[in-house]
Amino acid sequence: MQTPKQAPYIAAIEAGGTKFNCAIIDSDRNIISTKRIDTTTPEQTLDLVIAFFNEQKLAGFNFEKLGLACFGPLDLNKQSAHYGSITATPKPDWSNTPITSILEAALNCTIFLDTDVNAAALAEYKWGNATNASVAIYITIGTGVGGGVVINGQPLHGLIHPEIGHMIISPPKGIQGVCPFHGNCIEGLAAGRSMAKIWNQPAETLPDDHQAWDIQAQVLASLCHNLLLNFSPEKIILGGGVMNKPGLLENIINYTQESLNGYITLPESLTFADIILLPGLDQHSGLFGAFALTQQQ
Amino acid sequence: MQTPKQAPYIAAIEAGGTKFNCAIIDSDRNIISTKRIDTTTPEQTLDLVIAFFNEQKLAGFNFEKLGLACFGPLDLNKQSAHYGSITATPKPDWSNTPITSILEAALNCTIFLDTDVNAAALAEYKWGNATNASVAIYITIGTGVGGGVVINGQPLHGLIHPEIGHMIISPPKGIQGVCPFHGNCIEGLAAGRSMAKIWNQPAETLPDDHQAWDIQAQVLASLCHNLLLNFSPEKIILGGGVMNKPGLLENIINYTQESLNGYITLPESLTFADIILLPGLDQHSGLFGAFALTQQQ
């Protein structure tokens, strides 16, 4: 008698400050089932997450591995007593949440954890617009701004992990950033939340011809300028809701070139439009990133 | 009859815009002989370099490997027809100099090439103040400003190689950077040459209590702020002549902490003074970096 062949399903969570996207994904990277859970308190949110995955198990979608692409800051040091916890975050209630051990215990599976943005960078490196890039950077410009880096196929951690959104730049004339920590960091200038404060209206209601979008392109060009000089990346992927604005990417590319002012000579046949791109995985960089984490060693 | 045992001597060059430091180094990293050659034209400079190493060969210090830690920008792409050349540099006469192939042909040895700052980062990672750092950064603040990065023991290249000195920051109030490309980049604000322009006197003649040094600490703290958030390095080594100013390092550390404003929570028992350090190899980071390159695969 043969043992029934079981498809190696994978559980994936893209855990953000607004919502947790949960999914069962098969080994061919098809999304089998998915659920969006609002981020409220850790207890309420994680109870719903656990309930979803337990239902999936009952429905026959068993899994041994769960990829967790989580908002930070995270303790990723495997030697630390707090490995797998969300550490000091301005998000109410979530500081010091041992999210990894809670899920591991409740779902009896192995968790593969990284920041949401490192995971997204990994997915774009594997299957998206940054394939074969020895240095791939993923930036999300949404409610906040975050960045992940993959170097030679490995997510960058270092001492903690990158927090690229809080890099300081020189703001365009007359503009003042609103980050409570740093004022003029990228997040304080370009996050959706910051745009709303700077212009006194929700970012999505700013008309196409509002100067806010030109300023936004200049700020994100300074980000790209600094990323290009720091990391010398082959690819910078700009994702997140704010990047849906038509024409924004093209303006960022033009201002980046203007800002670098000829200092970097690109290898023949390359232009900055080959380096600075939207995600290749559309809205799925994060969820596929969680899936990609389970394939790492 | 036994073959006489020959010590595996290594040739090393730290090639800078002001001088070429050349040396023969033995396998225990003892400097056997050294010569400083002024950087003039490529022909004149390289003729003197070749003459020095040929003399060393005649004196019995044969070598098969030469480590070349060179000012950039460099073409480090081994698939490129111009691999090993200095590319477009503002340094007179040196643009498009195929320095690697010139030295290789003249000295009949294998050349191991990287940027001077990547090589210095590698030396500090191997033997200096950044040992065991998964992310080690070396910054030189001298006539210009440059930076190298070593991640998990490998120098970072990416598309070309980092050019950290040209990262843009927000300058202290009332100060205007002088970089001909970018104005307010780190090099335009903090390089020795830029300080001289901003304050109308050579940097080394600025008295200890001149406000220039407080401004300098603020600028270099912005650099450290951005490096910490981009790379999450375990170590940032600040080298170069400008860093010899007493008290400057301590002021940079204080301003960095102030600038981050509590956003990064360091692992227990660590302070920013454990992360931001002077070189452990004193003035030898560059030359030992050239030596270290010959040990890479």
Side-chain angles (χ1 to χ4, degrees), chain B residues 190-222:
Chain B
R193 197 172 40 204
S194 304
M195 291 183 81
K197 272 197 193 164
I198 292 170
W199 304 105
N200 286 315
Q201 65 183 94
E204 58 272 25
T205 66
L206 289 161
D208 287 358
D209 61 353
H210 194 287
Q211 61 162 320
W213 294 110
D214 192 60
I215 303 268
Q216 181 75 348
Q218 291 178 48
V219 169
L220 294 175
S222 290

Side-chain angles (χ1 to χ4, degrees), chain A residues 54-104:
Chain A
N54 278 331
E55 282 161 26
Q56 296 303 308
K57 283 184 181 179
L58 285 175
F61 301 121
N62 272 308
F63 54 86
E64 292 174 356
K65 295 179 176 181
L66 187 154
L68 175 56
C70 190
F71 68 85
L74 301 174
D75 186 337
L76 296 174
N77 174 7
K78 292 196 174 162
Q79 315 308 319
S80 158
H82 302 289
Y83 170 76
S85 285
I86 296 167
T87 58
T89 166
K91 291 192 178 67
D93 306 320
W94 285 87
S95 285
N96 305 312
T97 300
I99 185 167
T100 305
S101 52
I102 291 172
L103 292 173
E104 201 153 33

Side-chain angles (χ1 to χ4, degrees), chain A residues 4 24 27 40 44 208:
Chain A
I24 296 289
S27 56
T40 56
Q44 203 173 16
D208 287 0

Side-chain angles (χ1 to χ4, degrees), chain A residues 134-145:
Chain A
S134 74
V135 179
I137 301 178
Y138 178 91
I139 305 287
T140 176
I141 305 115
T143 318
V145 177

Side-chain angles (χ1 to χ4, degrees), chain B:
Chain B
M1 205 181 87
Q2 260 193 310
T3 314
K5 198 171 160 188
Q6 182 167 354
Y9 295 109
I10 297 289
I13 305 176
E14 180 190 15
T18 309
K19 60 182 191 296
F20 275 49
N21 279 327
C22 303
I24 295 289
I25 300 178
D26 75 13
S27 55
D28 294 326
R29 207 160 44 86
N30 298 304
I31 297 175
I32 303 295
S33 57
T34 154
K35 180 159 183 130
R36 179 197 153 118
I37 292 162
D38 287 342
T39 307
T40 56
T41 64
E43 293 68 29
Q44 202 173 16
T45 309
L46 295 180
D47 276 357
L48 290 170
V49 167
I50 291 162
F52 166 73
F53 284 114
N54 278 330
E55 281 161 26
Q56 297 303 308
K57 284 183 179 178
L58 286 174
F61 301 120
N62 271 310
F63 53 88
E64 291 173 356
K65 295 179 176 182
L66 185 154
L68 176 57
C70 190
F71 68 86
L74 301 174
D75 186 337
L76 296 175
N77 174 7
K78 291 197 175 162
Q79 314 309 320
S80 159
H82 302 289
Y83 170 77
S85 285
I86 296 167
T87 57
T89 168
K91 292 191 177 67
D93 305 320
W94 285 86
S95 284
N96 305 313
T97 301
I99 184 169
T100 304
S101 53
I102 291 171
L103 291 173
E104 201 154 33
L107 295 169
N108 189 29
C109 61
T110 306
I111 310 253
F112 295 77
L113 170 73
D114 212 321
T115 61
D116 46 1
V117 277
N118 262 354
L122 187 62
E124 288 290 329
Y125 166 79
K126 283 180 170 250
W127 308 295
N129 273 343
T131 48
N132 297 320
S134 74
V135 179
I137 302 178
Y138 179 92
I139 305 286
T140 177
I141 305 116
T143 319
V145 177
V149 182
V150 167
I151 295 180
N152 298 322
Q154 298 298 322
L156 178 64
H157 294 149
L159 187 65
I160 306 166
H161 52 69
E163 284 279 355
I164 294 174
H166 290 270
M167 175 158 54
I168 286 176
I169 60 146
S170 195
K173 223 173 174 171
I175 301 296
Q176 188 67 43
V178 297
C179 171
F181 292 94
H182 312 119
N184 289 323
C185 65
I186 302 288
E187 177 158 305
L189 289 156
R193 197 172 40 204
S194 304
M195 291 183 81
K197 272 197 193 164
I198 292 170
W199 304 105
N200 286 315
Q201 65 183 94
E204 58 272 25
T205 66
L206 289 161
D208 287 358
D209 61 353
H210 194 287
Q211 61 162 320
W213 294 110
D214 192 60
I215 303 268
Q216 181 75 348
Q218 291 178 48
V219 169
L220 294 175
S222 290
L223 167 70
C224 290
H225 173 123
N226 282 356
L227 291 176
L228 284 163
L229 294 172
N230 272 286
F231 289 99
S232 193
E234 278 98 343
K235 301 291 176 187
I236 299 173
I237 308 296
L238 300 178
V242 171
M243 287 308 300
N244 291 329
K245 192 71 183 174
L248 179 57
L249 178 74
E250 292 72 18
N251 285 341
I252 293 168
I253 291 168
N254 290 338
Y255 277 123
T256 300
Q257 188 153 5
E258 198 177 303
S259 172
L260 288 167
N261 195 17
Y263 186 75
I264 290 186
T265 310
L266 293 183
E268 268 170 53
S269 82
L270 276 188
T271 71
F272 288 105
D274 299 309
I275 298 173
I276 305 170
L277 300 158
L278 296 176
L281 299 171
D282 204 23
Q283 304 305 313
H284 293 307
S285 308
L287 209 49
F288 285 152
F291 175 77
L293 293 177
T294 66
Q295 302 185 329
Q296 294 290 100
Q297 286 165 343

